C-alpha cells in the first residue's frame, strides 16, 4: 500500500487537464499515443469537440523512482459546474490533487470551487501552472494568484502539450501525495465514484477500496439499496479494463457483479460484504442525484414517440442523473418531462439523441423546480408550469450562491447585471492586484437561461462563473399563460417573478405573432396571469377579394357581398381553431437559443 498514489487533476474547463493526462500515459509507458489520438481519456466525440470532460475515466499507471515501483491511480473528474457532485465523489477516492491553472487565463471560478471541494476532503494540493509555452503566458501573475489562494510557494510550471516539466510533476506526486490508509483485514468497504453500463455485463461500478478486499465469488451489497450481488470479475484500468484476481484496500478498479440497473450502482454509494452489511458503516457524503432543471421533450414528428421512448430508456442506463416521466401536450402531442442537472447536461442529452439515435426533438423552455404551499398548508413540488396553481398561500424558488471572477475594470457592469437578475451581493474581494472575486446569491431561474452568455458579453469574455445550490426562498411567483384564439397553449406557459411578468409576456406574444401563419379570421395572442391579460398581439385575417367578380352594376351588390363576408368571419372567429404548427414551436426555441448565443 505504501507504493500506491491515488490522485486527481482539478481544473477549469479548457485549462489542459486531458492533455496533461495524455503526457502522464506516455511518460509512464501506459499507452503509446499517435498524433491523431489525443485526449485519450475523453472518449466521446462530444468531449473532444467541446473541450470538456463529461464522463470520468480512471487510469492506472506504473512508474519507477529511486529503484522502487509505484502504482499511480489517476481518477479523472468532469470539468463542469453541472457535475459538481461527481467531482466531489472522485476527490473522496483520492489522497491528493493537482490544481492545474492556465498560464494565459489565470485562476477562474471553477478552479476555486473544485479547490474548496479538495480542501474539504483534506487532500494534498499540488499547484501547477500549465501552457507556459504560449507567447501570451503570464506565469508570474498566475503564481501570485495561486500564492494568494493557497499560500504555497512551491508551484510547478509545465507545458502539457510540449511535455516540459511533466516528469518532474510525476515525481512530485509520488513525493507529496500520501499513500492510502486502510486495513486489508477489516470487512470490505469500497466507494463507488463512477459507473458505466455495458450491454453484456450490466452496470459496472468504478470503486476505490478503503478496507478489506473484493474478489470473484464474494457476495456484496450496496448500502443505499441493500441489494445483494455475487462478484464475477474485478480488475483495474489501463485505461482499458484489465482483469485481476482481487482488489485490496487502497486500490482503484472496477467490479462486475451482474448488476442489471445503473440506479443500483449509484455514485457515492458504499459497497460492503453482504454478511457484514449491518455492522459496516457507509462512507460519508452520499446523496441522490437531484435534477435542478426541467424541460418538456417532444419528437418533432409525433409518430417518432416510440423511438424517443426507447432512446430515453437507453440513455438512462448510461446516465443515472436523468429523470423523466410521460406527459401529453394538446399542442405538441405525446412527450416527456425530463429533469437535468443543468443546461450543459440538457445540451449533451439533446446532442446524444441526435447522434446516437437520429432523433430531432423539441425541448420546451427549461424551468427549475419550485415549491408551493397550498392554502391548506400542504407543500407540493412543481416541475412543470402547467401544474402551478392559480390560488396558493406562498411560493418558493431555489437560490444559488454564485462566484464570479473578473478583471476589476468589469466589476461595475457585472454588479449592475446581477442586480437586474434579482441578485443579492454578499462579498467582494481582490484575488490579486487586477482580479476580483464577487459573490452573489441569485435565483436559479435567472442563472439557467442565458446568464453565462450575458456575463461573458458584459465582461468581454473575461469573467468566469461557478455556482452551487443554496436553499429554497419565498418569492412572488406567478404562472404566465399564453392564449392563442382564446385557447391556452400549455407548452408555452412559464413561471416568472411578478415584476418580470409583463416583459416576458410582451416578448412571447410579439415573437408568436411573427411565427403563427395568418388564418381566414382575426387571431388574438394573449399573455395572461390567471384571468388578467397583460399583453396582447393580433394577427389580421387573410381577406379574399369577394368583389372581384363584380364589374359594373349597382354599388349595393358589392356591399351585400362584403357584409356576407363579414358575417362569415364573425362566425369563423367563434368556431375556428388555430392549429399551432411545429415550426412555430421550433422557431420559438430557436429564438431562445439565438438569444443565448
Amino acid at each position: 500500500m505504501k507504493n500506491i498514489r491515488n490522485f486527481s487533476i482539478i481544473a477549469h474547463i479548457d485549462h489542459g487537464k486531458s492533455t496533461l493526462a495524455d503526457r502522464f500515459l506516455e511518460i509512464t509507458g501506459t499507452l503509446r499515443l499517435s498524433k491523431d489520438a489525443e485526449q485519450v481519456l475523453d472518449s466521446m466525440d462530444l468531449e473532444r469537440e467541446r473541450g470538456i470532460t463529461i464522463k470520468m475515466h480512471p487510469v492506472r499507471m506504473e512508474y519507477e523512482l529511486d529503484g522502487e515501483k509505484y502504482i499511480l491511480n489517476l481518477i479523472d473528474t468532469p470539468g463542469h459546474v453541472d457535475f459538481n457532485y461527481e467531482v466531489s465523489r472522485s476527490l473522496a477516492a483520492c489522497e491528493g490533487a493537482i490544481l492545474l491553472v492556465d498560464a494565459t487565463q489565470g485562476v477562474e471560478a471553477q478552479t476555486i470551487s473544485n479547490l474548496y471541494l479538495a480542501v474539504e476532503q483534506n487532500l494534498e494540493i499540488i499547484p501547477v501552472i500549465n501552457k507556459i509555452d504560449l507567447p501570451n503566458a503570464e506565469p508570474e501573475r498566475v503564481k501570485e494568484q495561486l500564492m494568494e489562494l493557497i499560500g504555497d510557494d512551491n508551484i510547478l510550471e509545465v507545458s502539457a502539450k510540449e511535455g516540459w516539466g511533466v516528469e518532474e510533476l510525476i515525481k512530485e506526486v509520488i513525493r507529496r501525495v500520501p499513500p492510502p490508509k486502510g486495513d486489508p483485514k477489516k470487512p470490505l468497504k469500497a466507494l463507488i465514484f463512477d459507473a458505466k453500463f455495458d450491454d453484456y455485463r450490466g452496470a459496472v461500478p468504478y470503486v476505490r477500496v478503503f478496507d478489506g478486499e473484493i474478489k470473484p465469488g464474494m457476495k456484496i451489497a450496496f448500502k443505499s439499496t441493500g441489494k445483494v450481488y455475487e462478484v464475477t470479475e474485478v480488475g483495474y484500468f489501463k485505461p482499458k479494463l484489465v482483469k485481476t484476481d482481487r482488489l485490496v484496500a487502497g486500490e482503484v478498479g472496477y467490479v462486475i457483479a451482474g448488476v442489471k440497473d445503473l440506479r443500483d450502482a449509484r455514485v457515492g454509494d458504499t459497497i460492503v460484504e453482504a454478511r457484514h452489511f449491518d455492522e459496516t458503516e457507509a462512507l460519508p457524503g452520499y446523496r441522490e442525484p437531484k435534477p435542478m432543471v426541467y424541460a418538456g421533450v417532444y419528437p418533432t414528428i409525433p409518430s417518432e414517440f416510440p423511438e424517443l421512448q426507447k432512446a430515453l430508456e437507453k440513455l438512462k442506463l448510461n446516465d443515472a442523473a436523468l429523470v423523466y416521466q410521460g406527459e401529453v401536450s394538446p399542442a405538441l402531442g405525446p412527450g416527456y418531462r425530463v429533469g437535468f442537472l443543468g443546461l450543459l447536461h440538457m445540451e449533451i442529452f439533446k446532442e446524444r439523441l441526435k447522434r446516437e439515435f437520429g432523433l430531432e426533438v423539441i425541448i420546451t423552455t427549461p424551468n427549475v423546480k419550485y415549491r408551493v404551499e397550498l392554502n391548506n398548508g400542504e407543500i407540493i413540488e412543481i416541475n412543470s408550469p402547467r401544474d402551478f396553481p392559480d390560488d396558493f398561500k406562498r411560493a418558493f424558488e431555489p437560490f444559488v450562491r454564485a462566484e464570479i471572477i473578473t478583471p476589476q475594470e468589469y466589476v461595475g457592469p457585472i454588479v449592475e447585471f446581477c442586480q437586474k437578475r434579482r441578485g443579492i451581493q454578499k462579498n467582494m474581494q481582490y484575488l490579486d492586484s487586477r482580479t476580483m472575486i464577487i459573490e452573489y446569491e441569485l435565483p436559479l431561474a435567472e442563472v439557467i437561461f442565458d446568464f453565462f452568455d450575458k456575463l461573458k458579453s458584459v465582461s468581454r469574455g473575461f469573467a468566469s462563473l461557478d455556482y452551487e445550490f443554496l436553499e429554497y426562498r419565498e418569492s412572488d411567483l406567478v404562472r404566465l399563460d399564453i392564449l392563442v384564439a382564446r385557447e391556452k397553449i400549455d407548452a408555452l406557459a412559464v413561471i416568472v417573478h411578478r415584476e418580470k411578468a409583463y416583459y416576458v409576456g410582451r416578448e412571447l406574444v410579439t415573437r408568436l405573432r411573427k411565427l403563427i401563419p395568418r388564418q381566414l379570421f382575426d387571431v388574438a395572442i394573449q399573455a395572461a396571469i390567471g384571468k388578467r391579460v397583460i399583453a396582447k398581439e393580433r394577427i389580421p385575417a387573410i381577406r379574399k377579394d369577394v368583389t372581384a367578380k363584380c364589374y359594373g352594376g349597382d354599388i349595393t351588390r358589392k356591399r351585400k357581398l362584403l357584409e356576407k363576408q363579414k358575417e362569415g368571419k364573425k362566425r369563423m372567429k367563434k368556431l375556428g381553431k388555430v392549429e399551432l404548427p411545429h415550426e412555430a414551436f421550433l422557431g420559438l426555441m430557436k429564438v431562445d437559443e439565438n438569444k443565448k448565443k
Side-chain angles (χ1 to χ4, degrees):
M1 251 166 90
K2 70 180 175 61
N3 285 14
I4 296 175
R5 300 290 181 271
N6 298 322
F7 70 100
S8 178
I9 305 171
I10 52 178
H12 192 80
I13 293 166
D14 209 26
H15 279 210
K17 180 156 64 83
S18 299
T19 310
L20 182 62
D22 283 356
R23 293 297 81 75
F24 280 169
L25 294 173
E26 263 183 345
I27 290 167
T28 56
T30 309
L31 274 184
R32 194 168 280 133
L33 300 181
S34 60
K35 283 272 183 251
D36 55 341
E38 300 228 321
Q39 294 168 344
V40 173
L41 299 187
D42 288 349
S43 56
M44 289 163 71
D45 290 342
L46 264 172
E47 293 183 306
R48 289 187 182 152
E49 283 168 27
R50 289 169 175 259
I52 53 172
T53 300
I54 297 164
K55 283 296 281 177
M56 292 177 259
H57 297 275
V59 64
R60 172 171 165 151
M61 302 170 285
E62 284 161 19
Y63 189 79
E64 196 171 313
L65 180 66
D66 302 332
E68 283 203 61
K69 279 194 174 172
Y70 290 89
I71 291 171
L72 307 174
N73 288 312
L74 167 59
I75 297 171
D76 202 12
T77 57
H80 195 274
V81 62
D82 284 4
F83 307 110
N84 180 277
Y85 172 62
E86 283 81 350
V87 174
S88 77
R89 294 305 83 212
S90 286
L91 295 176
C94 302
E95 277 77 37
I98 294 171
L99 179 67
L100 195 68
V101 180
D102 188 329
T104 62
Q105 309 272 353
V107 171
E108 297 201 54
Q110 236 166 298
T111 318
I112 294 181
S113 169
N114 289 345
L115 171 67
Y116 288 161
L117 285 176
V119 171
E120 274 171 34
Q121 309 278 1
N122 293 320
L123 301 192
E124 176 64 39
I125 311 290
I126 301 171
V128 178
I129 298 172
N130 187 24
K131 304 191 187 181
I132 56 166
D133 57 305
L134 294 179
N136 58 336
E138 297 179 277
E140 289 310 312
R141 181 175 78 85
V142 178
K143 210 174 249 186
E144 190 189 318
Q145 288 184 343
L146 279 168
M147 281 171 68
E148 184 73 33
L149 200 60
I150 56 177
D152 186 350
D153 59 355
N154 186 6
I155 298 165
L156 297 176
E157 294 182 20
V158 303
S159 165
K161 194 176 179 186
E162 301 296 334
W164 304 343
V166 179
E167 192 145 6
E168 184 49 46
L169 174 56
I170 293 174
K171 291 173 184 172
E172 198 68 15
V173 167
I174 293 169
R175 288 188 205 111
R176 289 176 62 175
V177 174
K181 293 184 179 115
D183 188 345
K185 294 185 176 66
K186 276 188 177 177
L188 171 69
K189 194 186 280 185
L191 170 76
I192 302 175
F193 62 84
D194 195 18
K196 73 163 191 166
F197 191 82
D198 185 294
D199 288 338
Y200 304 103
R201 299 166 165 200
V204 181
Y206 293 0
V207 299
R208 153 72 199 276
V209 184
F210 279 88
D211 285 325
E213 62 175 21
I214 189 163
K215 58 188 178 185
M218 191 173 176
K219 287 258 183 10
I220 57 165
F222 295 96
K223 278 302 268 188
S224 72
T225 60
K227 291 193 177 174
V228 177
Y229 296 94
E230 187 177 327
V231 179
T232 55
E233 182 183 320
V234 296
Y236 50 82
F237 313 95
K238 271 272 185 179
K240 288 193 169 73
L241 307 187
V242 177
K243 197 171 166 181
T244 185
D245 59 347
R246 68 186 60 213
L247 288 173
V248 297
E251 290 193 311
V252 171
Y254 67 89
V255 178
I256 294 171
V259 182
K260 298 280 188 293
D261 196 332
L262 200 65
R263 280 170 288 191
D264 289 342
R266 292 168 177 170
V267 172
D269 199 1
T270 308
I271 293 180
V272 298
E273 204 173 336
R275 61 197 173 107
H276 296 297
F277 184 81
D278 293 330
E279 66 261 35
T280 312
E281 279 186 27
L283 292 157
Y286 170 72
R287 69 169 194 257
E288 296 274 331
K290 285 195 174 77
M292 298 299 286
V293 175
Y294 287 82
V297 176
Y298 300 89
T300 45
I301 304 158
S303 60
E304 284 183 352
F305 178 72
E307 282 84 353
L308 176 63
Q309 192 173 5
K310 283 179 198 156
L312 274 168
E313 282 165 12
K314 284 189 177 171
L315 284 178
K316 175 73 182 166
L317 293 174
N318 270 314
D319 188 350
L322 203 65
V323 174
Y324 62 90
Q325 64 183 63
E327 67 174 10
V328 177
S329 158
L332 295 168
Y336 284 96
R337 190 93 198 146
V338 185
F340 305 97
L341 295 171
L343 278 198
L344 177 81
H345 190 200
M346 187 172 92
E347 277 179 48
I348 290 162
F349 165 82
K350 190 177 179 182
E351 197 70 31
R352 285 184 71 185
L353 277 181
K354 191 176 175 181
R355 290 184 189 202
E356 294 172 30
F357 305 96
L359 281 173
E360 286 281 358
V361 291
I362 296 170
I363 295 187
T364 61
T365 309
N367 65 278
V368 300
K369 187 191 273 190
Y370 297 95
R371 284 182 184 164
V372 172
E373 187 183 341
L374 302 175
N375 292 327
N376 63 4
E378 186 193 347
I379 291 179
I380 57 169
E381 292 199 329
I382 306 288
N383 297 336
S384 170
R386 67 179 179 184
D387 299 333
F388 198 84
D390 287 328
D391 188 29
F392 56 89
K393 197 172 180 181
R394 292 185 299 169
F396 304 86
E397 66 177 327
F399 267 69
V400 294
R401 181 187 288 113
E403 203 168 64
I404 300 162
I405 296 186
T406 174
Q408 63 177 32
E409 59 263 36
Y410 302 112
V411 168
I414 287 171
V415 167
E416 193 181 327
F417 167 62
C418 290
Q419 297 299 126
K420 278 183 188 165
R421 293 295 177 105
R422 301 191 281 133
I424 305 157
Q425 192 180 314
K426 300 307 283 183
N427 197 6
M428 197 187 286
Q429 65 189 67
Y430 278 94
L431 181 61
D432 64 21
S433 56
R434 286 188 285 170
T435 315
M436 295 199 77
I437 305 175
I438 311 168
E439 199 180 289
Y440 261 91
E441 287 177 4
L442 289 149
L444 181 60
E446 297 284 354
V447 174
I448 64 159
F449 200 53
D450 58 355
F451 188 90
F452 187 66
D453 308 281
K454 290 272 172 68
L455 178 69
K456 284 287 181 194
S457 62
V458 297
S459 66
R460 296 190 186 167
F462 284 105
S464 63
L465 166 76
D466 190 75
Y467 63 86
E468 61 176 0
F469 173 71
L470 201 58
E471 62 188 357
Y472 276 87
R473 290 184 187 171
E474 192 176 339
S475 203
D476 188 8
L477 301 171
V478 291
R479 186 185 74 230
L480 186 67
D481 291 313
I482 300 297
L483 292 87
V484 176
R486 302 179 305 284
E487 205 172 303
K488 270 187 196 176
I489 310 296
D490 61 328
L492 297 179
V494 285
I495 298 168
V496 289
H497 194 271
R498 195 180 294 274
E499 66 183 37
K500 291 200 163 191
Y502 171 74
Y503 304 101
V504 174
R506 164 66 38 221
E507 195 175 340
L508 279 170
V509 295
T510 307
R511 280 197 249 155
L512 273 173
R513 192 192 64 171
K514 293 171 187 166
L515 293 166
I516 296 173
R518 285 173 74 181
Q519 311 289 317
L520 288 166
F521 53 92
D522 265 12
V523 175
I525 305 167
Q526 298 163 314
I529 298 169
K531 292 192 171 107
R532 189 166 67 89
V533 174
I534 59 166
K536 183 179 175 181
E537 283 287 346
R538 179 181 150 269
I539 302 173
I542 299 171
R543 187 167 167 238
K544 183 183 171 187
D545 189 0
V546 288
T547 59
K549 59 187 178 185
C550 300
Y551 47 93
D554 192 6
I555 188 73
T556 53
R557 202 169 150 217
K558 284 188 180 181
R559 279 194 189 135
K560 197 175 172 185
L561 284 168
L562 287 169
E563 284 300 320
K564 197 176 173 186
Q565 184 188 37
K566 205 172 174 184
E567 286 302 314
K569 297 257 184 223
K570 262 188 195 171
R571 202 162 49 249
M572 228 186 242
K573 198 171 180 180
K574 277 182 188 170
L575 305 171
K577 285 199 169 209
V578 180
E579 280 291 318
L580 242 74
H582 269 55
E583 293 73 39
F585 283 96
L586 282 169
L588 206 61
M589 298 309 148
K590 272 180 192 152
V591 176
D592 288 346
E593 281 168 21
N594 293 339
K595 264 190 79 191
K596 285 197 301 189
K597 282 166 193 166

